Amino acid sequence: MKYVLLLRGINVGGKNKIKMEDFKYHLTELGLTHVVSYINSGNFVFESKQKIECLHANVAQMIKEYYDFEIIFAIINEKDYLEAAQELPAWWNNSLARRDVLFYTKQVDINAMVESIQEMKLHKEIIHFSKIAVFWGKTVEEEYLRTAYHKNLASKKYYKQITIRNGNTFEQLLKILMDQNK
């Protein structure tokens, strides 16, 4: 089975530095195969025969062993990732000012997060909820500072329990998954 692994809050502003090649090596030490990293922000695609619960435990243990800071992460199986991509509404492919994907991790209370976002007053934004993440589009760059995304998200408890990628990264990881199927 193929998986996507997304690390939260690494290599940002000189903090929580991780070399992708080192992390990739540690993943292979766990028995994961065909490990591919994408850019320097903690995005990996790999194959494993392990169940996702076992992967979570093994990756968490490896992080504790090799890194002296907490790393929250999400692991998504190929089926769920592809399904989320196929279920995206048409607006996701329109010309938007910004597109972000807020991936759920094991730490987040998904229902509370969704309810909180649904209560936000959106400003030139559009949202799609999926099984693995919230897809959030901002329609006008000049209005970004007035969006609920900008004004409210970072103050929410769940903000530190999710990992965010831009739309392009989401699509590049999708491409890596699909290319490995060829």
Side-chain angles (χ1 to χ4, degrees):
M1 167 82 61
K2 289 186 190 127
Y3 296 90
V4 174
L5 168 64
L6 305 167
L7 307 179
R8 183 194 191 285
I10 59 127
N11 299 339
V12 178
K15 294 183 180 180
N16 299 339
K17 288 189 174 187
I18 291 181
K19 290 183 180 178
M20 293 301 100
E21 284 304 310
D22 292 347
F23 201 89
K24 183 177 173 180
Y25 174 76
H26 296 314
L27 292 174
T28 62
E29 284 184 313
L30 295 176
L32 311 182
T33 59
H34 305 286
V35 180
V36 176
S37 65
Y38 174 70
I39 63 176
N40 201 35
S41 57
N43 308 293
F44 299 90
V45 175
F46 62 85
E47 290 184 36
S48 176
K49 293 180 181 177
Q50 299 175 39
K51 302 248 186 252
I52 199 162
E53 298 82 14
C54 187
L55 286 170
H56 270 282
N58 290 339
V59 170
Q61 183 58 42
M62 179 270 289
I63 289 169
K64 271 186 178 178
E65 186 176 330
Y66 290 103
Y67 299 96
D68 61 355
F69 49 89
E70 181 183 25
I71 303 172
I72 291 174
F73 60 91
I75 299 178
I76 304 145
N77 69 48
E78 176 185 32
K79 177 185 171 289
D80 290 344
Y81 202 94
L82 295 174
E83 189 176 280
Q86 290 169 349
E87 293 175 353
L88 283 169
W91 62 258
W92 181 256
N93 294 311
N94 291 346
S95 180
L96 296 169
R98 296 182 190 210
R99 297 178 310 153
D100 290 297
V101 185
L102 290 62
F103 288 95
Y104 310 129
T105 67
K106 285 185 85 160
Q107 290 81 0
V108 73
D109 178 338
I110 296 170
N111 292 330
M113 178 180 165
V114 168
E115 185 177 311
S116 169
I117 292 171
Q118 287 173 330
E119 292 173 356
M120 290 180 189
K121 185 176 184 211
L122 301 181
H123 180 77
K124 300 196 178 183
E125 303 161 89
I126 194 160
I127 296 174
H128 170 73
F129 298 98
S130 83
K131 180 178 179 178
I132 65 168
V134 177
F135 293 80
W136 204 314
K138 281 67 86 185
T139 59
V140 181
E141 183 64 32
E142 297 77 27
E143 296 286 322
Y144 175 72
L145 296 178
R146 297 178 69 196
T147 62
Y149 184 93
H150 175 75
K151 290 169 57 174
N152 300 323
L153 195 60
S155 67
K156 300 299 181 188
K157 177 184 174 186
Y158 55 81
Y159 180 74
K160 292 185 178 184
Q161 300 170 332
I162 59 174
T163 185
I164 302 173
R165 298 299 186 275
N166 68 39
N168 293 337
T169 298
F170 172 79
E171 290 166 358
Q172 286 301 315
L173 292 170
L174 177 64
K175 184 178 183 313
I176 292 168
L177 276 172
M178 294 173 71
D179 285 350
Q180 286 185 341
N181 287 332
K182 293 179 181 176

